[in-house]
Structure formats: C-alpha cells, structure tokens
Amino acid sequence: MFTGIIETLGIINDIKKQDGNLHISVESSLLNELKIDQSVSHNGICLTVVAIENNLYTVTAIQETIDKTNLGNWNINDVVNLERAMKLGDRLDGHLVQGHVDQIGVCKSVEETNGSWFFTFEYDTSLHNITIEKGSITVNGVSLTVVNSKINEFSVAIIPYTYEHTNFKFFKIGTKVNLEFDVIGKYVSKLYSIK
C-alpha cells in the first residue's frame, strides 16, 4: 500500500527481456535503504526488488503488468517516480494507493498558469473507471485531486514542488501515463454494475 507521495526519482539503467518478463535495473538515491523482497512503486506500479548490486536495484514485471501499464514503453535513461510502501501508523499525506494500475491514460493538454501547471488526461471508458470532482486519482504514482471530471477525461493542477520533484515535468501531449482510480470509487462502480 502506498500514499501517492513521491519520495524521489529513479533512472532506468537497463531493461532485459526473459520469456514474457522484463527485468528492469534502476539507479536511485533510495538504493541504500532498499532490501530484496521490498515493494516499491515505479510510476504507480508496485514492483518487488529482486536484486541489489553495482549501485543498482532490479525489479521484475510480468506480462500482465506490461499489458496494463506504460511499462512496455520504458527506455534506458527514462525517469520514473518512486515511492516505498507506507508504514502502518505513518501519516497518510496523499490517499490510499494500491500500486495496481487500472489502465493507461494519455496526456491531452499541458498548460502553465501563473506558476502552476494544469494537465488534462483522457482514458478509455470501456473499463468503467470513473472520476469525481475533487476526488482522488493517481497519475504515474502521484496522488492528485481531480478537477473538471468528465466521462472520459479529467484534469489535475500541479504545484511547482510536485512539478520539479516528479516526472510530470517531462509530460507532453501524447504522453502515456499510469492511472489508478480511487479504490472507493471502484467498489461503488462495481456495486452499481451488479444491480
């Protein structure tokens, strides 16, 4: 379980394919605090540390993860948002984030407005995910508040700190991002679909 408050950025150092899996090596300032079997959110994807060596750590993604996230588009030197799993009893500064990406979204517009940034994302509605005005959304692992909620798109406002300390600063029109919708909203949506 995560909070959506990004701790640091990581740099993809190597990507190796083995059968249907991808082994991804990451360079990060968190390295000395990590251990094997630890869960770390990478752009909102919960991945397990499987190796630590040569100033890098490695995580493995299975085909299911590759299919449902933007991980298959990662390249060497790409920058990813990192967050370690939350500790029980810590403050929940963001919202409850599972690290299970629901689907990919696409950046539709980027607008700078008086020192902050306004991003709009669109997504496929066939999976029945929903947003609500002022509700929570996770974009590439970042806990954010929804504004301008529509049937197939939503916007978020980014303060300068978040812009500088996450990979939002690299987003442009067409950038594919990982979306995790609010878990409470997913339960409500599921209940309504059963009726």
Side-chain angles (χ1 to χ4, degrees), residues 3-5 17 20 28 41 50 56-57 59 68 78 86-87 90-91 103 113 121 156 160 180 192:
T3 68
I5 304 300
K17 187 170 178 63
S28 166
S41 170
V50 296
L56 301 169
Y57 71 88
V59 293
K68 289 193 174 179
D78 278 357
M86 65 183 292
K87 293 179 182 177
D90 277 359
R91 284 190 179 90
Q103 66 184 99
T113 55
F121 300 95
V156 292
E180 181 181 328
Y192 271 99

Side-chain angles (χ1 to χ4, degrees), residues 27-193:
E27 180 183 337
S28 166
S29 61
L30 293 177
L31 181 71
N32 293 330
E33 301 176 52
L34 298 180
K35 61 182 183 178
I36 292 175
D37 281 343
Q38 191 168 4
S39 295
V40 179
S41 170
H42 298 71
N43 278 358
I45 309 164
C46 179
L47 298 169
T48 302
V49 176
V50 296
I52 300 173
E53 57 185 335
N54 300 326
N55 296 316
L56 301 169
Y57 71 88
T58 301
V59 293
T60 300
I62 62 172
Q63 193 64 51
E64 169 80 4
T65 303
I66 297 165
D67 291 342
K68 289 193 174 179
T69 68
N70 67 6
L71 193 150
N73 297 323
W74 292 2
N75 294 297
I76 292 172
N77 293 323
D78 278 357
V79 177
V80 293
N81 297 325
L82 300 178
E83 181 193 358
R84 290 171 293 170
M86 65 183 292
K87 293 179 182 177
L88 194 63
D90 277 359
R91 284 190 179 90
L92 183 61
D93 290 325
H95 71 280
L96 290 176
V97 177
Q98 294 180 295
H100 302 155
V101 173
D102 294 303
Q103 66 184 99
I104 293 173
V106 178
C107 184
K108 186 176 178 182
S109 69
V110 180
E111 180 184 356
E112 186 176 356
T113 55
N114 297 320
S116 61
W117 286 262
F118 200 73
F119 291 83
T120 300
F121 300 95
E122 58 185 354
Y123 61 95
D124 180 6
T125 58
S126 66
L127 296 176
H128 308 292
N129 290 309
I130 58 169
T131 61
I132 61 167
E133 198 72 16
K134 306 303 183 207
S136 297
I137 186 75
T138 309
V139 179
N140 266 13
V142 183
S143 172
L144 296 164
T145 301
V146 172
V147 293
N148 294 338
S149 174
K150 298 181 181 177
I151 292 175
N152 68 330
E153 70 178 53
F154 65 91
S155 300
V156 292
I158 303 293
I159 63 172
Y161 183 89
T162 303
Y163 186 84
E164 288 300 324
H165 290 85
T166 70
N167 58 15
F168 264 80
K169 59 180 169 276
F170 302 115
F171 290 4
K172 55 188 178 182
I173 294 172
T175 296
K176 293 182 178 179
V177 297
N178 294 321
L179 301 178
E180 181 181 328
F181 294 81
D182 182 55
V183 67
I184 297 171
K186 288 190 280 189
Y187 277 114
V188 171
S189 179
K190 181 70 172 177
L191 286 170
Y192 271 99
S193 69

